[in-house]
Amino acid sequence: MTAASIDVDLEKALLAFTACMREEGIDLPDPELDAAGNLKLVSFMADAGMAAAEAGGTEALRDAATACRSHLAGVALRFASVDRTEMQDRLLAYAGCMREHGYDLPDPDFSGAGPG
């Protein structure tokens, strides 16, 4: 198996997973891969968090992920390096979305190295 075919398999598996998640009621957009075929994890997780909030919370996300995880069987995910500004923007958007849906979630604090 070549590196190119591994990338195609990863992309196909992720697309099948996100299609299944949508069938389960989680409006998850297709994942983004970088030029090297790595999953942009921060972007994907922020999208999942916002989709879960719109679908009824983390329990709905967990149930859908359980129903769809077979699409990821045997896949080894590779993660892209993180664009810190993009990550912060997405986390701020996520916190705002959660507040719009009735959760008292403050904006993350990016002033230190640990969780905010």
mmCIF file of all heavy atoms in Angstrom, residues 44-75:
data_model
loop_
_atom_site.group_PDB
_atom_site.id
_atom_site.type_symbol
_atom_site.label_atom_id
_atom_site.label_comp_id
_atom_site.label_asym_id
_atom_site.label_seq_id
_atom_site.Cartn_x
_atom_site.Cartn_y
_atom_site.Cartn_z
ATOM 1 N N PHE A 44 -11.982 20.116 13.142
ATOM 2 C CA PHE A 44 -12.961 19.032 13.177
ATOM 3 C C PHE A 44 -13.646 18.960 14.542
ATOM 4 O O PHE A 44 -14.867 18.824 14.629
ATOM 5 C CB PHE A 44 -12.250 17.707 12.861
ATOM 6 C CG PHE A 44 -13.188 16.546 12.702
ATOM 7 C CD1 PHE A 44 -14.033 16.463 11.615
ATOM 8 C CD2 PHE A 44 -13.201 15.534 13.647
ATOM 9 C CE1 PHE A 44 -14.885 15.375 11.462
ATOM 10 C CE2 PHE A 44 -14.053 14.456 13.499
ATOM 11 C CZ PHE A 44 -14.894 14.373 12.405
ATOM 12 N N MET A 45 -12.887 19.090 15.621
ATOM 13 C CA MET A 45 -13.471 19.004 16.956
ATOM 14 C C MET A 45 -14.362 20.202 17.261
ATOM 15 O O MET A 45 -15.409 20.061 17.893
ATOM 16 C CB MET A 45 -12.366 18.879 18.016
ATOM 17 C CG MET A 45 -11.570 17.576 17.912
ATOM 18 S SD MET A 45 -12.597 16.088 17.968
ATOM 19 C CE MET A 45 -13.159 16.146 19.650
ATOM 20 N N ALA A 46 -13.968 21.389 16.806
ATOM 21 C CA ALA A 46 -14.806 22.569 17.015
ATOM 22 C C ALA A 46 -16.120 22.418 16.263
ATOM 23 O O ALA A 46 -17.194 22.717 16.791
ATOM 24 C CB ALA A 46 -14.070 23.837 16.569
ATOM 25 N N ASP A 47 -16.051 21.920 15.023
ATOM 26 C CA ASP A 47 -17.271 21.692 14.248
ATOM 27 C C ASP A 47 -18.158 20.658 14.943
ATOM 28 O O ASP A 47 -19.380 20.815 15.002
ATOM 29 C CB ASP A 47 -16.934 21.207 12.830
ATOM 30 C CG ASP A 47 -16.321 22.294 11.955
ATOM 31 O OD1 ASP A 47 -16.509 23.492 12.263
ATOM 32 O OD2 ASP A 47 -15.657 21.939 10.965
ATOM 33 N N ALA A 48 -17.547 19.607 15.488
ATOM 34 C CA ALA A 48 -18.312 18.572 16.183
ATOM 35 C C ALA A 48 -18.986 19.146 17.424
ATOM 36 O O ALA A 48 -20.142 18.832 17.720
ATOM 37 C CB ALA A 48 -17.398 17.408 16.561
ATOM 38 N N GLY A 49 -18.277 19.986 18.159
ATOM 39 C CA GLY A 49 -18.851 20.589 19.360
ATOM 40 C C GLY A 49 -20.045 21.466 19.037
ATOM 41 O O GLY A 49 -21.077 21.419 19.718
ATOM 42 N N MET A 50 -19.929 22.272 17.985
ATOM 43 C CA MET A 50 -21.050 23.131 17.605
ATOM 44 C C MET A 50 -22.225 22.307 17.089
ATOM 45 O O MET A 50 -23.375 22.592 17.405
ATOM 46 C CB MET A 50 -20.596 24.165 16.573
ATOM 47 C CG MET A 50 -19.764 25.269 17.207
ATOM 48 S SD MET A 50 -19.447 26.629 16.096
ATOM 49 C CE MET A 50 -17.766 26.278 15.636
ATOM 50 N N ALA A 51 -21.934 21.264 16.325
ATOM 51 C CA ALA A 51 -23.001 20.400 15.816
ATOM 52 C C ALA A 51 -23.705 19.685 16.968
ATOM 53 O O ALA A 51 -24.925 19.529 16.955
ATOM 54 C CB ALA A 51 -22.430 19.384 14.822
ATOM 55 N N ALA A 52 -22.942 19.261 17.965
ATOM 56 C CA ALA A 52 -23.535 18.584 19.126
ATOM 57 C C ALA A 52 -24.445 19.531 19.888
ATOM 58 O O ALA A 52 -25.537 19.141 20.320
ATOM 59 C CB ALA A 52 -22.434 18.051 20.043
ATOM 60 N N ALA A 53 -24.013 20.770 20.061
ATOM 61 C CA ALA A 53 -24.842 21.747 20.775
ATOM 62 C C ALA A 53 -26.172 21.947 20.057
ATOM 63 O O ALA A 53 -27.228 22.025 20.689
ATOM 64 C CB ALA A 53 -24.101 23.075 20.898
ATOM 65 N N GLU A 54 -26.123 21.988 18.745
ATOM 66 C CA GLU A 54 -27.345 22.180 17.959
ATOM 67 C C GLU A 54 -28.233 20.940 17.989
ATOM 68 O O GLU A 54 -29.447 21.042 17.840
ATOM 69 C CB GLU A 54 -26.992 22.549 16.521
ATOM 70 C CG GLU A 54 -26.352 23.926 16.426
ATOM 71 C CD GLU A 54 -25.797 24.239 15.050
ATOM 72 O OE1 GLU A 54 -25.940 23.410 14.132
ATOM 73 O OE2 GLU A 54 -25.204 25.319 14.907
ATOM 74 N N ALA A 55 -27.641 19.754 18.191
ATOM 75 C CA ALA A 55 -28.402 18.502 18.167
ATOM 76 C C ALA A 55 -28.862 18.055 19.546
ATOM 77 O O ALA A 55 -29.522 17.033 19.668
ATOM 78 C CB ALA A 55 -27.561 17.398 17.533
ATOM 79 N N GLY A 56 -28.493 18.782 20.592
ATOM 80 C CA GLY A 56 -28.972 18.407 21.914
ATOM 81 C C GLY A 56 -27.898 18.083 22.921
ATOM 82 O O GLY A 56 -28.200 17.602 24.007
ATOM 83 N N GLY A 57 -26.631 18.284 22.606
ATOM 84 C CA GLY A 57 -25.569 18.123 23.585
ATOM 85 C C GLY A 57 -24.661 16.943 23.340
ATOM 86 O O GLY A 57 -24.766 16.234 22.343
ATOM 87 N N THR A 58 -23.780 16.722 24.305
ATOM 88 C CA THR A 58 -22.745 15.708 24.141
ATOM 89 C C THR A 58 -23.292 14.287 24.105
ATOM 90 O O THR A 58 -22.701 13.419 23.479
ATOM 91 C CB THR A 58 -21.689 15.819 25.257
ATOM 92 O OG1 THR A 58 -22.335 15.716 26.517
ATOM 93 C CG2 THR A 58 -20.926 17.113 25.165
ATOM 94 N N GLU A 59 -24.428 14.050 24.748
ATOM 95 C CA GLU A 59 -24.996 12.695 24.709
ATOM 96 C C GLU A 59 -25.412 12.329 23.281
ATOM 97 O O GLU A 59 -25.171 11.209 22.823
ATOM 98 C CB GLU A 59 -26.187 12.576 25.651
ATOM 99 C CG GLU A 59 -26.698 11.148 25.749
ATOM 100 C CD GLU A 59 -27.773 10.986 26.814
ATOM 101 O OE1 GLU A 59 -27.823 11.778 27.773
ATOM 102 O OE2 GLU A 59 -28.568 10.042 26.659
ATOM 103 N N ALA A 60 -26.005 13.283 22.568
ATOM 104 C CA ALA A 60 -26.387 13.044 21.174
ATOM 105 C C ALA A 60 -25.144 12.778 20.330
ATOM 106 O O ALA A 60 -25.145 11.885 19.474
ATOM 107 C CB ALA A 60 -27.169 14.237 20.625
ATOM 108 N N LEU A 61 -24.076 13.547 20.572
ATOM 109 C CA LEU A 61 -22.822 13.349 19.838
ATOM 110 C C LEU A 61 -22.237 11.977 20.141
ATOM 111 O O LEU A 61 -21.824 11.247 19.238
ATOM 112 C CB LEU A 61 -21.822 14.450 20.200
ATOM 113 C CG LEU A 61 -20.463 14.366 19.526
ATOM 114 C CD1 LEU A 61 -20.579 14.542 18.025
ATOM 115 C CD2 LEU A 61 -19.517 15.416 20.109
ATOM 116 N N ARG A 62 -22.219 11.606 21.408
ATOM 117 C CA ARG A 62 -21.673 10.311 21.819
ATOM 118 C C ARG A 62 -22.469 9.161 21.197
ATOM 119 O O ARG A 62 -21.899 8.197 20.678
ATOM 120 C CB ARG A 62 -21.662 10.206 23.346
ATOM 121 C CG ARG A 62 -21.027 8.948 23.876
ATOM 122 C CD ARG A 62 -20.917 8.898 25.401
ATOM 123 N NE ARG A 62 -22.012 9.546 26.101
ATOM 124 C CZ ARG A 62 -21.886 10.694 26.794
ATOM 125 N NH1 ARG A 62 -20.732 11.304 26.867
ATOM 126 N NH2 ARG A 62 -22.918 11.217 27.421
ATOM 127 N N ASP A 63 -23.799 9.255 21.220
ATOM 128 C CA ASP A 63 -24.630 8.200 20.639
ATOM 129 C C ASP A 63 -24.379 8.051 19.141
ATOM 130 O O ASP A 63 -24.270 6.947 18.619
ATOM 131 C CB ASP A 63 -26.114 8.478 20.892
ATOM 132 C CG ASP A 63 -26.499 8.343 22.358
ATOM 133 O OD1 ASP A 63 -25.704 7.781 23.146
ATOM 134 O OD2 ASP A 63 -27.604 8.812 22.715
ATOM 135 N N ALA A 64 -24.288 9.192 18.443
ATOM 136 C CA ALA A 64 -24.043 9.152 16.999
ATOM 137 C C ALA A 64 -22.653 8.588 16.708
ATOM 138 O O ALA A 64 -22.493 7.757 15.806
ATOM 139 C CB ALA A 64 -24.194 10.553 16.409
ATOM 140 N N ALA A 65 -21.654 9.020 17.471
ATOM 141 C CA ALA A 65 -20.293 8.523 17.260
ATOM 142 C C ALA A 65 -20.216 7.014 17.498
ATOM 143 O O ALA A 65 -19.528 6.302 16.766
ATOM 144 C CB ALA A 65 -19.312 9.266 18.156
ATOM 145 N N THR A 66 -20.935 6.526 18.496
ATOM 146 C CA THR A 66 -20.964 5.087 18.757
ATOM 147 C C THR A 66 -21.580 4.344 17.581
ATOM 148 O O THR A 66 -21.070 3.302 17.153
ATOM 149 C CB THR A 66 -21.747 4.795 20.050
ATOM 150 O OG1 THR A 66 -21.072 5.429 21.144
ATOM 151 C CG2 THR A 66 -21.848 3.303 20.314
ATOM 152 N N ALA A 67 -22.664 4.902 17.033
ATOM 153 C CA ALA A 67 -23.327 4.264 15.899
ATOM 154 C C ALA A 67 -22.464 4.283 14.639
ATOM 155 O O ALA A 67 -22.593 3.401 13.791
ATOM 156 C CB ALA A 67 -24.662 4.961 15.615
ATOM 157 N N CYS A 68 -21.571 5.253 14.529
ATOM 158 C CA CYS A 68 -20.807 5.456 13.284
ATOM 159 C C CYS A 68 -19.350 5.019 13.373
ATOM 160 O O CYS A 68 -18.653 5.035 12.353
ATOM 161 C CB CYS A 68 -20.867 6.932 12.898
ATOM 162 S SG CYS A 68 -22.541 7.508 12.550
ATOM 163 N N ARG A 69 -18.883 4.631 14.531
ATOM 164 C CA ARG A 69 -17.452 4.380 14.680
ATOM 165 C C ARG A 69 -16.929 3.248 13.810
ATOM 166 O O ARG A 69 -15.741 3.187 13.526
ATOM 167 C CB ARG A 69 -17.101 4.164 16.141
ATOM 168 C CG ARG A 69 -17.597 2.891 16.729
ATOM 169 C CD ARG A 69 -17.139 2.751 18.164
ATOM 170 N NE ARG A 69 -17.888 1.690 18.805
ATOM 171 C CZ ARG A 69 -18.086 1.603 20.081
ATOM 172 N NH1 ARG A 69 -17.578 2.506 20.879
ATOM 173 N NH2 ARG A 69 -18.779 0.613 20.585
ATOM 174 N N SER A 70 -17.792 2.353 13.356
ATOM 175 C CA SER A 70 -17.320 1.254 12.506
ATOM 176 C C SER A 70 -16.694 1.778 11.207
ATOM 177 O O SER A 70 -15.847 1.104 10.619
ATOM 178 C CB SER A 70 -18.475 0.305 12.180
ATOM 179 O OG SER A 70 -19.463 0.973 11.423
ATOM 180 N N HIS A 71 -17.065 2.986 10.795
ATOM 181 C CA HIS A 71 -16.483 3.571 9.583
ATOM 182 C C HIS A 71 -15.013 3.933 9.767
ATOM 183 O O HIS A 71 -14.303 4.146 8.787
ATOM 184 C CB HIS A 71 -17.258 4.819 9.157
ATOM 185 C CG HIS A 71 -18.653 4.524 8.725
ATOM 186 N ND1 HIS A 71 -18.945 3.924 7.519
ATOM 187 C CD2 HIS A 71 -19.835 4.710 9.347
ATOM 188 C CE1 HIS A 71 -20.246 3.769 7.413
ATOM 189 N NE2 HIS A 71 -20.818 4.242 8.518
ATOM 190 N N LEU A 72 -14.561 4.005 11.013
ATOM 191 C CA LEU A 72 -13.168 4.357 11.299
ATOM 192 C C LEU A 72 -12.319 3.156 11.694
ATOM 193 O O LEU A 72 -11.154 3.315 12.058
ATOM 194 C CB LEU A 72 -13.119 5.416 12.418
ATOM 195 C CG LEU A 72 -13.819 6.735 12.116
ATOM 196 C CD1 LEU A 72 -13.746 7.660 13.326
ATOM 197 C CD2 LEU A 72 -13.239 7.398 10.883
ATOM 198 N N ALA A 73 -12.892 1.955 11.608
ATOM 199 C CA ALA A 73 -12.165 0.747 12.000
ATOM 200 C C ALA A 73 -10.885 0.613 11.176
ATOM 201 O O ALA A 73 -10.896 0.717 9.954
ATOM 202 C CB ALA A 73 -13.043 -0.479 11.809
ATOM 203 N N GLY A 74 -9.777 0.427 11.865
ATOM 204 C CA GLY A 74 -8.499 0.222 11.204
ATOM 205 C C GLY A 74 -7.830 1.481 10.683
ATOM 206 O O GLY A 74 -6.779 1.403 10.068
ATOM 207 N N VAL A 75 -8.423 2.633 10.926
ATOM 208 C CA VAL A 75 -7.849 3.885 10.440
ATOM 209 C C VAL A 75 -6.941 4.468 11.515
ATOM 210 O O VAL A 75 -7.331 4.598 12.668
ATOM 211 C CB VAL A 75 -8.966 4.899 10.082
ATOM 212 C CG1 VAL A 75 -8.378 6.261 9.772
ATOM 213 C CG2 VAL A 75 -9.797 4.385 8.930
#
